């Protein structure tokens, strides 16, 4: 179904692929991170913890997804004051990739972390009891999963407050009210 990592039908598990907790760090090679390291370090053998985000920006060709940034910052200890060497960064990358691949193997056949219910029966029971979720799709997904969710996904950004005043009367209603007042229609 997939040819060189591409598939015409989209992700095999959209709940997992769009979950905010889903990491895609393992799609990059260590050589790609080395090229990013060379671009950020500019000939130095070490970088500061503050430059890790810039390194990920180079590798991802844009802002890195939040899960990847959090993974690196937690693994490298974001409170550290000592610089990071390439060897330390490379071993951190390899450990994170091994963890991601192990998580993917354990999740095979199950729904992703963005799914709330594991069966239709659970969903129906929650609906019948009127149980509402604490988090909505915007808190668990990075993008809308369906076309219906696209409508209103960023509504708070584009909605402007304006007051709409309806017509009090038009020519037809004035005519009808005059007919009623004259006693023609009861």
């Amino acid at each position: 179904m997939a040819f060189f990592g591409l598939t015409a039908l989209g992700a095999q598990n959209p709940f997992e692929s769009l979950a905010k907790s889903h990491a895609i760090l393992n799609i990059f090679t260590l050589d790609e991170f080395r090229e990013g390291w060379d671009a950020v370090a500019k000939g130095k053998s070490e970088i500061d913890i503050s430059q890790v985000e810039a390194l990920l920006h180079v590798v991802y060709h844009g802002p890195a997804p939040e899960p990847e940034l959090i993974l690196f910052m937690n693994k490298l200890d974001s409170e550290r004051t000592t610089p990071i060497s390439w060897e330390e960064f490379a071993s951190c990358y390899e450990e994170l990739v091994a963890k991601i691949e192990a998580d993917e193997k354990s999740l095979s056949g199950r729904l992703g972390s963005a799914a709330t219910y594991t069966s239709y029966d659970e969903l129906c029971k929650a609906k019948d009891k009127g149980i509402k979720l604490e988090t909505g799709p915007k808190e668990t997904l990075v993008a809308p999963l369906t076309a219906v969710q696209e409508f209103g996904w960023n509504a708070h950004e584009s909605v402007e407050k304006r007051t709409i005043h309806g017509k009090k009367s038009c020519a037809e209603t004035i005519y009808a009210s005059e007919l009623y007042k004259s006693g023609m229609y009861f």
Side-chain angles (χ1 to χ4, degrees):
M1 185 157 169
F3 183 71
F4 292 125
L6 302 174
T7 176
L9 300 175
Q12 302 247 341
N13 185 346
F15 286 102
E16 182 181 358
S17 65
L18 289 177
K20 284 189 175 181
S21 60
H22 179 69
I24 56 170
L25 180 64
N26 55 336
I27 66 171
F28 297 105
T29 63
L30 193 58
D31 294 333
E32 290 172 305
F33 274 97
R34 182 61 194 204
E35 290 173 11
W37 178 276
D38 293 339
V40 171
K42 298 178 182 166
K44 296 179 183 175
S45 61
E46 297 177 331
I47 63 170
D48 292 331
I49 192 75
S50 60
Q51 293 176 302
V52 170
E53 188 172 356
L55 169 61
L56 293 176
H57 192 277
V58 171
V59 172
Y60 282 89
H61 299 284
E66 190 177 332
E68 278 78 359
L69 186 59
I70 291 170
L71 281 173
F72 271 110
M73 290 305 195
N74 289 342
K75 188 73 176 168
L76 293 171
D77 185 20
S78 59
E79 301 296 323
R80 71 185 295 157
T81 56
T82 59
I84 305 163
S85 66
W86 166 248
E87 291 78 20
E88 184 181 1
F89 184 84
S91 71
C92 174
Y93 163 79
E94 290 169 352
E95 289 174 20
L96 290 174
V97 167
K99 183 184 181 310
I100 290 170
E101 289 173 352
D103 288 347
E104 283 179 355
K105 285 180 184 174
S106 70
L107 284 176
S108 63
R110 291 181 28 211
L111 291 174
S113 59
T116 306
Y117 302 104
T118 57
S119 73
Y120 180 71
D121 291 335
E122 287 180 26
L123 174 67
C124 288
K125 286 178 186 175
K127 183 181 156 202
D128 290 342
K129 291 181 179 180
I131 298 172
K132 292 189 177 184
L133 299 175
E134 293 178 15
T135 60
K138 199 162 183 180
E139 286 82 28
T140 56
L141 302 171
V142 293
L145 191 60
T146 63
V148 173
Q149 288 178 346
E150 288 176 7
F151 182 75
W153 191 265
N154 295 319
H156 67 280
E157 297 169 1
S158 61
V159 174
E160 64 180 58
K161 302 244 181 194
R162 60 185 179 124
T163 321
I164 299 173
H165 301 286
K167 276 189 188 177
K168 292 188 179 185
S169 61
C170 62
E172 290 84 4
T173 57
I174 292 172
Y175 179 75
S177 69
E178 291 299 320
L179 280 176
Y180 183 76
K181 286 180 187 174
S182 69
M184 194 151 190
Y185 290 104
F186 290 101

